[in-house]
Amino acid sequence: MDEQTGQQETEPRHRRRVVIAGAGMAGVQTAVALREQGFTGPVTLIGAEPHQPYDRPPLSKAVLLGNAEHSAFDVDFEALDITLRLGLDVTGLRAADHELDTPDGPVPYDVLVVATGAEPLALPGSEGVPGVHLLRTLDDAARLRPVLEQRHDVVVVGAGWIGAEFATAARAAGCAVTVVEAAGRPLAGVLPAEVAAPMAGWYAEGGAGLLTGARVARVEPGRVVLADGRALPADAVVVGIGARPATRWLAGSGIELGPDGSVTADASLRSSLPDVYAVGDCASFPSARYGERLLVHHWDNALQGPRTVAAALTAREGDGLPVYDPVPYFWSEQFGRFVQYAGHHAGADALVWRGDPAEPSWTVCWLRAGALVAVLAVGRPRDLAQGRKLIESGVELAPERVADPSVPLKSAAL
Ligand SMILES: Cc1cc2nc3c(=O)[nH]c(=O)nc-3n(C[C@H](O)[C@H](O)[C@H](O)COP(=O)(O)OP(=O)(O)OC[C@H]3O[C@@H](n4cnc5c(N)ncnc54)[C@H](O)[C@@H]3O)c2cc1C
C-alpha cells in the first residue's frame, strides 16, 4: 500500500523505477544515498548539462582562478548501477501518466525526485548584452576565466555571497573590481546592518570598490550606467543578484509551488503530487525547529535532504516516514576570510557579539528565549561547530558567557 495515495502499489518498493530530474549535488546525492540505503531498483539521473555531474562551490573559487580544471563528483555511477542521461532537458511532467517529457521522448517513472536546483536571476535589460555574465554553471565559469586572466575592469552587480566571492577571485587575478549594490549594505536581505557593517570594510581592504545604494540603470557595451548618471567602465559585468528555483518546467503539472517558485515539499520532502519528491535548491520544506517554511540555497542542504528522500523511499512498511528538519549550514570564502553560518534567525532574535569585528576573527550569536538559534563565525570554526550542536540541542545559554570569546561556546550552556 502506498502511504501517500492509499493505493495498492504495482511494484514492490525496492523495485520501483526512481527517476531523478536534475544531476547537480542534490540529484547525485539522492542517487548515491538510495544505493547506500540499500535500494536495488533502477535509478536514472537526468541532467540538462552535458558535463559529468559536478560540484558548484569551486566555481567561484579554485575553478574560476584556474587552480582546478573541474569539480566533477568522485562517484562511480556505473559501479552503483545509476543510469546517467546527460545533456537532456526535462521539459514537462505528466503526473497522471507517471511520465516526464524530454526532447528524446517520454521517460516513465514510478517515483520522481525533482532536483533541478536554481537558476540565477538576470539583470533586467542586460540579457544578451556582450560582456554580461552570470555564475552558476561550469560553462559560466569557463567563460569568466579569460576575463580574469586578461585582468579586465570588472563591475559586479550585487554584494551577496556570490558577488563577494567573485570579487575576491577577480582581485586575486589582478582585475580592477567595482561592486554595485542597490541596498545600503552588503548582504542586506540576509544579515542585520550591524553585522554587515564590518563586512563592507572587507571590500576596500581587498582592493575592490563597493558602491552601496547604487542602482544600475542600464548596461552598455564597455560600461555600466547607474541611476544617478554615473558611468563605470566595465570590460565585463558579473551579475550576482540571487537565484530562483528552476521549476518553470513544472508549469501545468499540477504540482504545488510557493510564491518563491519552490516546490512546497512536506516534512518528508514529498511534493503535493503522489510519488513525487523534491530536494535541494528547488524545494522548500516546513521547519518545526524554526516555525516557518524554509527555502535553503546552500550546499549542505543538497547533501542532507537527499538522505531523507532515500530514507523515505527505502522505509519498510510500518516504519514511520523520516522528517527533514535540519539546522541549515553554509560557508563562504571571501576577502581572505572563512565565513560560516549555521541555523536561521529572525529580526526579533537577540544578537550577541562574541569578539570584536575589527579583529580578523569574531562570531555573532542569535538567541531566542535564551537558546541559540543561529551563529555566524568569521575565522572561528570551533564556535561554528559547537554552536551548531547547541542549536540542535536547544539548551539555554548564559548570555554573558556567550559574549566572552575566551570561553568555549559550549561552556555557555546552563
Ligand atoms: C558559484 C557558486 C558557488 C557556491 N558556493 C557555495 C559555498 O561556498 N557554500 C555553500 O554552502 N553553497 C554554495 N553554493 C550553493 C550550492 O552550490 C547549491 O546550494 C547546490 O549546488 C544546490 O544543489 P542542487 O542539486 O539543488 O542544484 P544545482 O546545483 O543547481 O543542480 C541542479 C541541476 O539540475 C539541472 N537542471 C535544471 N533544470 C533541469 C531540467 N529541466 N532538466 C534537466 N536538468 C535540469 C541543472 O542543469 C543543474 O545541473 C554555490 C553556488 C554557486 C552557483
Side-chain angles (χ1 to χ4, degrees), residues 2-16:
D2 183 285
E3 288 142 30
Q4 204 173 2
T5 60
Q7 288 164 359
Q8 201 67 40
E9 286 170 10
T10 45
E11 287 287 335
R13 286 182 92 75
H14 64 281
R15 288 299 316 160
R16 290 187 294 172

Side-chain angles (χ1 to χ4, degrees), residues 172-217:
C175 296
V177 179
T178 306
V179 181
V180 176
E181 169 58 56
R185 58 178 190 272
L187 295 164
V190 191
L191 295 174
E194 64 175 297
V195 180
M199 295 175 159
W202 298 353
Y203 286 74
E205 205 185 284
L210 172 65
L211 303 178
T212 54
R215 239 166 227 295
V216 174

Side-chain angles (χ1 to χ4, degrees), residues 354 372 382-390 393 395-398 401-402 404 407-414:
R354 196 172 148 75
L372 192 65
R382 206 163 283 160
D383 277 359
L384 191 286
Q386 294 178 11
R388 205 172 174 182
K389 287 191 187 137
L390 290 170
S393 71
V395 290
E396 218 176 304
L397 305 182
R401 271 184 268 158
V402 173
D404 183 348
V407 172
L409 192 51
K410 63 182 177 191
S411 306
L414 286 172

Side-chain angles (χ1 to χ4, degrees), residues 21-28 46-49 54-61 88-91 115-119 135-137 162 165 246 249 279-282 296-302 329-333:
M25 178 72 182
V28 167
I46 305 178
E49 295 178 65
Y54 62 89
D55 207 11
R56 270 171 227 286
L59 300 187
S60 54
K61 308 171 183 80
L88 183 63
D89 227 328
V90 178
T91 52
T116 44
E119 51 202 13
L135 178 50
R136 181 79 196 177
T137 65
I162 295 281
E165 291 206 351
W249 63 278
V279 67
D281 280 13
C282 67
V296 178
H297 277 187
H298 297 302
W299 187 91
D300 191 63
N301 178 59
Y329 165 74
F330 73 89
W331 79 96
S332 172
E333 293 160 50

Side-chain angles (χ1 to χ4, degrees), residues 78-157:
E78 211 180 314
L80 290 172
D81 195 17
I82 295 163
T83 304
L84 275 185
R85 298 188 65 180
L86 300 175
L88 183 63
D89 227 328
V90 178
T91 52
L93 163 61
R94 281 175 292 105
D97 302 328
H98 273 57
E99 272 183 356
L100 292 175
D101 288 322
T102 79
D104 284 1
V107 177
Y109 65 84
D110 296 315
V111 176
L112 170 67
V113 181
V114 177
T116 44
E119 51 202 13
L121 299 176
L123 187 67
S126 75
E127 296 99 327
V129 176
V132 177
H133 298 259
L134 298 167
L135 178 50
R136 181 79 196 177
T137 65
L138 192 57
D139 290 342
D140 292 336
R143 279 188 286 268
L144 279 164
R145 263 162 74 164
V147 169
L148 266 58
E149 279 156 17
Q150 290 158 28
R151 301 186 184 180
H152 280 312
D153 285 358
V154 183
V155 169
V156 179
V157 183

